[in-house]
């Protein structure tokens, strides 16, 4: 299942990038985040790993994720190493007048053929709401 949300932030890409690449900020803006632990030392970069659990409904899901793309002020992407199969991305683009268009993509797949597919479809609505809340919190954090 792939879910995507967008927003425009009244700040330049460098300012937004500073927040989305600061692991200490994630608990402040990621909605329904239950667990966020840094595994690797140092600043976020390709190869950085984090233990992440989101609460979807009453179920915490997640695992270890690894940053696989790190293009400064443009793209940050990760994949799931353990736990739920997932891929995520923050994409930053110019929106004119010093603003940034931010795209948040999340693709995930539960185990278990047809039952996994059904679970993914049921969860998609709540995942989308959480992504909307995440972008609102991120926008408020950057602009505030």
């Amino acid at each position: 299942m792939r879910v995507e949300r967008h927003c425009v932030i009244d700040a330049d890409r460098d300012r937004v990038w500073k927040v989305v690449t600061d692991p200490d900020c994630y608990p402040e803006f990621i909605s329904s985040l239950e667990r966020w632990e840094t595994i690797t030392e140092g600043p976020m970069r390709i190869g950085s790993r984090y233990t992440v659990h989101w609460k979807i409904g009453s179920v915490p899901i997640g695992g270890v994720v690894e940053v696989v793309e790190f293009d400064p002020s443009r793209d940050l992407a990760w994949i799931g190493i353990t736990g739920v199969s997932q891929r995520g991305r923050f994409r930053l683009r110019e929106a004119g007048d010093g603003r940034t268009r931010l795209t948040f993509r999340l693709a995930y797949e539960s185990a278990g053929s047809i039952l996994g597919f059904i679970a993914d479809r049921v969860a998609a609505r709540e995942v989308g709401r959480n992504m909307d809340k995440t972008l609102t919190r991120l926008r408020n954090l950057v602009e505030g």
Side-chain angles (χ1 to χ4, degrees), residues 8-9 14-15 23 27 34 36 51 56 58 64 69 79 87 92 95 103 111 114 116 119 122-123 128 137 144:
V8 175
I9 299 175
D14 291 335
R15 189 166 160 194
E34 285 219 324
W36 176 264
T51 300
I56 305 299
S58 61
V64 174
E69 189 174 335
I79 60 168
R87 294 179 316 276
L92 290 71
T103 302
I114 190 69
V122 169
R137 290 177 178 181

Side-chain angles (χ1 to χ4, degrees), residues 2-135:
R2 181 177 161 169
V3 184
E4 179 174 302
R5 296 293 190 266
H6 309 272
C7 73
V8 175
I9 299 175
D10 193 17
D12 64 31
R13 285 188 308 167
D14 291 335
R15 189 166 160 194
V16 177
W17 183 254
K18 185 175 180 180
V19 174
V20 299
T21 59
D22 182 351
D24 294 334
C25 288
Y26 276 54
E28 291 182 55
F29 73 85
I30 300 284
S31 179
S32 296
L33 187 65
E34 285 219 324
R35 182 175 177 195
W36 176 264
E37 295 175 7
T38 300
I39 297 172
T40 53
E41 296 292 325
M44 189 179 284
R45 63 191 180 284
I46 290 178
S48 294
R49 289 188 176 190
Y50 305 91
T51 300
V52 182
H53 291 153
W54 291 274
K55 192 165 189 173
I56 305 299
S58 61
V59 181
I61 61 167
V64 174
V65 299
E66 180 177 318
V67 174
V68 294
E69 189 174 335
F70 193 91
D71 185 6
S73 296
R74 292 191 57 82
D75 291 288
L76 168 66
W78 65 89
I79 60 168
I81 301 297
T82 65
V84 173
S85 174
Q86 63 170 299
R87 294 179 316 276
R89 172 180 300 276
F90 285 115
R91 172 169 278 162
L92 290 71
R93 297 294 184 264
E94 294 290 334
D97 297 326
R99 297 178 308 151
T100 302
R101 179 173 172 81
L102 179 66
T103 302
F104 180 18
R105 291 182 185 152
L106 190 59
Y108 58 93
E109 186 176 331
S110 299
S113 64
I114 190 69
L115 293 177
F117 176 77
I118 292 168
D120 290 347
R121 297 288 295 177
V122 169
R125 181 172 285 164
E126 184 165 351
V127 169
R129 282 193 301 264
N130 286 338
M131 291 172 72
D132 288 333
K133 289 177 190 175
T134 294
L135 291 180

